[in-house]
């Protein structure tokens, strides 16, 4: 049981480039989330999904897109990367919206 | 405007003593609270939770206290161990969970 896995672990992007952060969970959880964490700040919710085919915006969705075609996968797409998107990105899953979340190890992204 | 605040960015405690981490929230509609622990280069891991119908929840060395009238919760770790050194996040549920900025705990041997 791998839990929540994220790839890549690290990435450096040039301004204007695009990339997809991958997230997979093997716990059959309906709920999945993407957060970003900036230094000295808490986790900010980017997007979330309550099941395959259903996604919704969180607190900071601008500059990002998501899709949820399967229960297991919840990729996060960055279009036209900007320095403000330099952050650590965490994917998480949970069996319900009111239960604790299980986090992946994170992706450290630098945009220069 | 931070809905969940952890006003101490860091805390140092001697091994074997009690660690007390504090968290304040502004939204009286929050009714479920969690604490997460995070080591460097890892994702947060769930530690303990409390529902607003309780004022205390205990799990081994970890106890969370909730004071709804003061909109305040605290995490007590007794006795503290060097392996407890990590960043601790408080989270509260609104439409989605809202996280505080974290407190870095250092337990000194």
């Amino acid at each position: 049981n791998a839990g929540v896995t994220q790839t890549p672990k690290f990435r450096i992007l040039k301004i204007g480039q695009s990339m997809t952060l991958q997230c997979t969970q093997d716990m059959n959880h309906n709920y999945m989330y993407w957060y970003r964490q900036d230094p000295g700040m808490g986790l900010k919710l980017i997007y979330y999904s309550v099941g395959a085919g259903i996604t919704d915006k969180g607190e900071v969705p601008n500059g990002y897109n998501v899709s949820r075609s399967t229960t297991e996968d919840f990729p996060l797409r960055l279009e036209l990367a900007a320095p403000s998107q330099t952050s650590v990105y965490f994917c998480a899953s949970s069996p319900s919206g009111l239960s604790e979340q299980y986090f992946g190890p994170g992706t450290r992204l630098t945009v220069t | 405007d931070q809905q969940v605040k952890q006003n101490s960015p860091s805390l140092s405690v001697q091994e074997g003593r009690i660690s007390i981490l504090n968290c304040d929230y502004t939204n009286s509609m929050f009714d479920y609270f969690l604490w997460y622990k995070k080591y460097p280069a890892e994702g947060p891991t769930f530690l303990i939770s409390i529902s607003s119908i309780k004022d205390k929840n205990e799990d081994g060395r970890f106890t969370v206290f909730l004071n709804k009238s003061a909109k305040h919760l605290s995490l007590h770790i007794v006795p503290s161990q060097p392996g407890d050194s990590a960043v601790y996040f408080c989270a509260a549920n609104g439409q989605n969970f809202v996280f505080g900025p974290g407190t870095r705990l250092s337990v000194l041997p």
Side-chain angles (χ1 to χ4, degrees), chain B residues 52-104:
Chain B
S52 62
I53 62 172
K54 299 175 120 179
D55 55 17
K56 177 182 172 180
N57 190 25
E58 202 168 344
D59 183 2
R61 297 186 296 114
F62 302 91
T63 303
V64 56
F65 295 92
L66 175 61
N67 182 334
K68 283 186 295 182
S69 60
K71 297 193 187 70
H72 175 84
L73 61 156
S74 60
L75 174 69
H76 293 213
I77 307 174
V78 182
S80 300
Q81 299 174 353
D84 296 328
S85 297
V87 177
Y88 289 79
F89 292 98
C90 168
N93 81 316
Q95 182 182 358
N96 287 294
F97 279 103
V98 179
F99 285 79
T103 296
R104 182 178 301 277

Side-chain angles (χ1 to χ4, degrees), chain A residues 27 30 57 68 94 100:
Chain A
M27 297 173 281
N30 285 325
K57 295 177 181 178
R68 184 96 183 269
S94 64
E100 66 268 21

Side-chain angles (χ1 to χ4, degrees), chain B residues 2-46:
Chain B
Q2 282 189 332
Q3 296 190 71
V4 178
K5 303 175 187 182
Q6 294 178 257
N7 291 323
S8 298
S10 63
L11 173 69
S12 290
V13 169
Q14 212 63 36
E15 181 179 4
R17 307 295 291 267
I18 184 171
S19 296
I20 300 177
L21 296 96
N22 294 305
C23 177
D24 297 287
Y25 60 96
T26 57
N27 190 338
S28 57
M29 299 300 291
F30 289 155
D31 60 4
Y32 187 59
F33 305 89
L34 302 91
W35 285 93
Y36 286 85
K37 174 179 177 178
K38 184 184 179 306
Y39 292 119
E42 294 183 12
T45 54
F46 169 72

Side-chain angles (χ1 to χ4, degrees), chain A residues 33 35 37 40-45 48 56-59 90 96-106 108, chain B residues 1-2 31-32 34 36 38 41-47 49 87 89 93-102:
Chain A
Y33 310 84
Y35 293 92
Q37 186 191 12
M41 307 289 286
L43 284 77
K44 302 285 187 187
L45 183 65
Y48 67 100
D56 210 346
K57 295 177 181 178
E59 186 182 354
F90 292 101
S96 79
L98 293 177
S99 55
E100 66 268 21
Q101 296 173 8
Y102 296 78
F103 285 83
R108 184 175 294 276
Chain B
D1 181 32
Q2 282 189 332
D31 60 4
Y32 187 59
L34 302 91
Y36 286 85
K38 184 184 179 306
E42 294 183 12
T45 54
F46 169 72
L47 197 54
S49 63
V87 177
F89 292 98
N93 81 316
Q95 182 182 358
N96 287 294
F97 279 103
V98 179
F99 285 79

